[in-house]
């Protein structure tokens, strides 16, 4: 998505929502906290809830403040456990991850998505890009900043699958749902197939892409241009 297209979709989302989005941050760095707070406070489409550090404080803040979006830095959640916890506990709330250099790789970002992150933006992004990541993450449920899409290095399509075993249409459909972080049960419900059938398709994808696990498969799929960016 280009910056101009992202801006157009952002304006449409603003028109369709009648209230400011409630935004919170989980991080312990004072300078980062004050910077994010200043960006949120300056935008009339957003409302600042607060900033905390640690999983317990984050859960308490979300329970008390009911934010629409919680920003989490990749450095404060290296295993993406907090993303997963908040996503599972608070339906309707999204996690926006501020990606630092240590997590700026295809597999690391794929794991973030699989653990619940719905919007990814560089930690050094300017205020407009941060607001876009928050708004489109909430309204569309799926956003990756253009700079981060460039971290998925393209490869030749002839290298998509070894041994001449292309993914079937259904396997590609399942892979798209896996990339959005959905469980086997959620994918089954969306595609109208059984949960065990979903698991079978996932196993086929893993074997054909020679991937270790779901996150590795998603990362390789992005690199191989199997997934839209």
């Amino acid at each position: 998505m280009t910056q101009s297209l992202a801006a157009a979709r952002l304006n449409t989302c603003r028109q369709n929502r009648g209230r400011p989005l409630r935004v919170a941050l989980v991080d312990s760095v004072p300078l980062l906290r004050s910077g994010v707070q200043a960006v949120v406070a300056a935008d009339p489409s957003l409302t600042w809830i607060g900033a905390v550090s640690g999983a317990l404080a984050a859960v308490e803040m979300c329970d008390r403040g009911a934010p629409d979006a919680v920003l989490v830095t990749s450095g404060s959640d290296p295993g993406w456990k907090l993303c997963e916890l908040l996503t599972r506990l608070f339906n309707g709330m999204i996690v926006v991850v501020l990606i630092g250099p240590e997590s700026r790789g295809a597999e690391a970002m794929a794991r973030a998505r699989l653990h619940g992150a719905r919007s990814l933006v560089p930690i050094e992004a300017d205020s407009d890009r941060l607001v876009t990541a928050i708004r489109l993450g909430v309204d569309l449920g799926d956003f990756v900043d253009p700079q981060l899409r460039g971290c998925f290095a393209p490869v030749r399509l002839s290298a998509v699958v070894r041994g001449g075993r292309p993914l079937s249409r259904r396997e590609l459909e399942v892979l798209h749902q896996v990339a959005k972080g959905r469980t086997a049960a959620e994918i089954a419900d969306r595609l109208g197939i059984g949960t065990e059938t979903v698991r079978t398709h996932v196993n086929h994808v893993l074997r054909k892409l020679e991937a270790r696990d779901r996150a590795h498969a998603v990362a390789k799929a992005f690199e191989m241009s199997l997934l839209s960016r």
Side-chain angles (χ1 to χ4, degrees), residues 1 37 45 51 56 91 117 119 122 133 142 146 148 213:
M1 185 190 302
Q37 181 178 357
S45 71
L56 179 58
N91 292 328
S119 186
D142 185 19
L148 295 179
D213 52 29

Side-chain angles (χ1 to χ4, degrees), residues 26-98:
V26 181
D27 193 78
S28 60
V29 180
L31 185 59
L32 180 66
R33 287 190 180 196
S34 60
V36 172
Q37 181 178 357
V39 170
V40 172
D43 193 300
S45 71
L46 306 177
T47 296
W48 178 250
I49 298 301
V52 297
S53 60
L56 179 58
V59 170
E60 292 175 344
M61 177 182 63
C62 292
D63 190 43
R64 181 182 66 255
D68 297 291
V70 173
L71 280 58
V72 177
T73 61
S74 58
S76 67
D77 191 22
W80 312 116
K81 297 301 183 184
L82 180 58
C83 285
E84 184 175 30
L85 175 65
L86 296 179
T87 300
R88 293 189 179 280
L89 287 180
F90 301 99
N91 292 328
M93 184 195 78
I94 72 149
V95 175
V96 179
V97 176
L98 308 181

Side-chain angles (χ1 to χ4, degrees), residues 200-222:
T200 298
H201 286 311
V202 170
N203 287 334
H204 289 168
V205 170
L206 295 180
R207 184 178 70 254
K208 290 180 177 181
L209 297 185
E210 298 182 358
R212 298 186 300 273
D213 52 29
R214 286 159 49 109
H216 192 207
V218 170
K220 295 187 76 170
F222 271 115

